[in-house]
Amino acid sequence: MQWTLVIPLKPLARAKSRLADTAADGLRPALALAFAQDTVAAALASAAVRDVAVVTDDVLAGRELAALGARIVPDEPGDGLNAAVAHGEAVVRAARPDSAVAALNADLPALRPTELTRVLDSAAQFPRAFLPDAAAIGTTLLAATPGRQLHPAFGLDSRARHRASGGMELRLTGVDSVRQDVDTGDDLRAALALGVGPRTTAAAARLLIKEQ
């Protein structure tokens, strides 16, 4: 099964505020962009991914991610993460009603195409499925097969909320790169230990940070 990924991305100036203990205000937008670039590049390299739609109103991010091959969808709702995901899903399904759609976090800088393929192939076995994040509290990927809706519930305790709403929790091993999103300095150190993409490597080199 081939998937279209919907990746929501807030304006870079407001992204990654929880990295304040690791990155100064002037560096966080560059880090957020680097995370998104490495995420999109790895996603497009997955054998299970047909295309990627990034929902964002950030001009710089839109230009850079389009250059990698992503479709840019304006964030018309402007009402947070779940609204952006639902809007991206609607745009994708308006063009291709039979699409398999998955929402993916934009902050997976260690993402490996082969691991993403494993997750998506597993998700294809269920009408609606999700992958918990490394902290086992949130969600990094939410998938819906053709004819099903995502019904995104990202945010605080999204793992519990996606499970309560009928999503199948994917219990896979060996897919750490798909689970390791980056919100905090500890998250970034964990991602660096896994091995991040080239853009995050370059951006993180400007930080005084030790790998785990």
Side-chain angles (χ1 to χ4, degrees), residues 83-95:
V85 170
H87 175 61
E89 178 187 15
V91 169
V92 168
R93 290 260 170 81

Side-chain angles (χ1 to χ4, degrees), residues 46-60:
S46 167
V49 173
R50 172 188 286 175
D51 53 9
V52 170
V54 176
V55 183
T56 188
D57 276 339
D58 192 283
V59 175
L60 174 60

